[in-house]
Amino acid sequence: MKKLIFEKSSTDRSSFDFPSFKEKNTLPKKFLRDSLSSIGLPQLSELEVIRHYVELASTNFNIEKGLYPLGSCTMKYNPKINDEMAALPAFASVHPYAPQDLVQGSLELMVHVEKWLCELSGMDAVTLMPAAGAQGEFTGLKLIRAYHKDKGIQKTKILIPDSAHGTNPASSALCGYDVVKVSSNEKGILDPKAIAQLLDSSVAGIMITNPNTLGLFEENIAEIAKLMHQHDALVYCDGANFNALMGQAKIAEMGIDVLQFNLHKTFSTPHGGGGPGAGPVGVKEKLIPYLPFPRVIYKDNSYSLLKSNPKSIGRVKGFYGNFGVLVRAYTYMRALGGDGLTKATQMAVLNANYIKQRLREAYDLAYDDKPCMHEVILSDKKQLKYHIKTLDIAKRLMDYGFHPPTVYFPLIVSGALMIEPTETESKEEVDRFCEAMISIAKECEVSPETVQQAPHTSPVRRVDEVKAARNLILTYKR
Ligand SMILES: *Cc1c(COP(=O)(O)O)cnc(C)c1O
């Protein structure tokens, strides 16, 4: 068991000392502490502090250590140049209230990010304000509501497929809509007939994750969009998986009215652990009046902020969005260019299909009707006869030096292992992963207990995951 920094503390050392508080300070004496140690901070030398945190950091898994195939999360390598650009003093220290004529470059960058996203998707306008994919969803749904309200219509329902991302029903409920579930067909995609049966005047729209969480392209999307529009309902596309479409498909032409991007996934900024992110929302012409403000506009040779708009849904975040993430995404787009982004998509899809082919004998393929997109879903069906479940396989992968994939999601596949290799992995690394998976499948037959008791190499073995989330211990008590 590793020691906490508090347990390593010793009263005879410190890395830093304030001058004696009482002598130097003019505050009344009763407000002053005797010394820092009285507030309970751990006391260690500078070297001990560094060793402590280096040890913690090296215990953690990260993309720089190896493949991180967490499905739907797009844990790809983020080029360091993106961070360097975001750290340029002219970007990093710009103040949100700086006069507009002093921040023309920053405003111009935002307009360029919007233009790139419009070009890649075919949407007519984009707001950069939402700070995450889920907040983009919420913003998009508010836009749909504002659109209907403006026409004087009250609609109460949003259709959501069972293969959608989990945030979709949550965002709809948060926006005050009733969620109506749509089942996907035996091929894992949406059937327009199933949707037609659910449509009536109370349906405000549908939220389609495309490619869906089974890693499959919703090929009936244009037909579905037509049906929705016939009922004066709008089509929202969760575009977090845009690394399967970028440069290949103009999604707007499939009848999409609202689309959110996850810049922190597709456009390569470090994420995980809850942030930072950016979830810009693209819209068709008819929804532009409702976009949040401020919006950056270009007029008379300069950039400025449009501060209000009568039909706008208002602000969804302070200031203008997560600007640092926008700088990183812009750097990534410019570094790759249109051709590079297209190639990234092709590599993401190729890597996932390569894994699908290499693992098809060892593992059950939940849907095998056609090639997958950027991720592939396996299940533990073939391993259950050895009493081995998805969780065991995921834990065993840690012993082989990989981050486990997303497990037990999507819910429509029992014992799902959702694998997204991303485009930044070489064939050699993908092969190393496949060989580990094949080796684990063999272990299930010959020595199942090795897999059932995994991980063997991590500092902590199996943790009680429910307890870990419900019984957080956030303070150290002596
Ligand atoms: C990651 C993801 C989201 C949520 O994005 P956050 O930035 O984590 O809020 C929504 N939909 C899909 C398909 C995703 O992969």
Side-chain angles (χ1 to χ4, degrees), residues 37 106 115 118 148 152 172 193 199 202 218 229 378 416 429 434:
S37 61
S106 299
K115 278 192 180 153
C118 285
H148 290 307
S172 303
K193 281 192 224 87
L199 276 173
S202 67
E218 291 289 356
H229 292 149
L378 310 176
E429 181 70 359
C434 291

Side-chain angles (χ1 to χ4, degrees), residues 16-25 33-36:
F16 186 78
D17 237 344
F18 287 107
S20 170
F21 281 18
K22 292 200 170 161
E23 283 164 31
K24 300 262 163 74
N25 221 304
R33 297 180 193 281
D34 289 334
S35 72
L36 264 191

Side-chain angles (χ1 to χ4, degrees), residues 308-326:
S308 66
N309 208 357
K311 292 188 174 177
S312 163
I313 59 165
R315 281 177 182 275
V316 293
K317 185 188 178 304
F319 302 116
Y320 324 106
N322 259 342
F323 184 67
V325 176
L326 306 181

Side-chain angles (χ1 to χ4, degrees), residues 72 132-134 137 165 167 209 238 240-241 260 262 264-265:
S72 206
E137 293 170 25
H165 193 265
T167 47
T209 303
D238 180 332
N241 299 328
Q260 126 265 346
N262 280 32
H264 45 296
K265 293 180 181 170

Side-chain angles (χ1 to χ4, degrees), residues 161-282:
D162 55 7
S163 59
H165 193 265
T167 47
N168 291 187
S171 301
S172 303
L174 203 63
C175 210
Y177 281 116
D178 296 330
V179 173
V180 180
K181 185 174 112 175
V182 190
S183 301
S184 31
N185 65 17
E186 69 294 343
K187 291 179 178 171
I189 58 170
L190 288 171
D191 184 347
K193 281 192 224 87
I195 289 167
Q197 281 176 359
L198 298 167
L199 276 173
D200 60 34
S201 61
S202 67
V203 175
I206 187 167
M207 281 186 100
I208 302 182
T209 303
N210 203 10
N212 65 27
T213 59
L214 297 167
L216 300 174
F217 186 73
E218 291 289 356
E219 58 193 37
N220 299 322
I221 191 157
E223 200 180 325
I224 292 167
K226 212 165 144 197
L227 269 174
M228 297 302 294
H229 292 149
Q230 279 165 5
H231 286 80
D232 201 17
L234 299 185
V235 182
Y236 181 103
C237 180
D238 180 332
N241 299 328
F242 205 56
N243 62 331
L245 303 172
M246 214 169 35
Q248 298 280 349
K250 279 211 170 175
I251 196 121
E253 280 158 30
M254 300 169 200
I256 305 299
D257 302 298
V258 191
L259 169 76
Q260 126 265 346
F261 306 86
N262 280 32
L263 296 191
H264 45 296
K265 293 180 181 170
T266 314
F267 297 96
S268 202
T269 80
H271 61 285
V281 176

Side-chain angles (χ1 to χ4, degrees), residues 15 54 58 85 98 102 247 263 267 271 288 292 305 310 362 422 478:
S15 3
V54 167
S58 58
M85 293 303 110
L102 294 184
L263 296 191
F267 297 96
H271 61 285
I288 293 178
L305 292 165
T422 83
R478 268 167 228 275

Side-chain angles (χ1 to χ4, degrees), residues 111-133:
V111 168
H112 280 281
V113 174
E114 289 179 6
K115 278 192 180 153
W116 274 77
L117 295 177
C118 285
E119 179 59 28
L120 284 165
S121 62
M123 303 306 282
D124 296 322
V126 164
T127 171
L128 301 173
M129 200 181 256

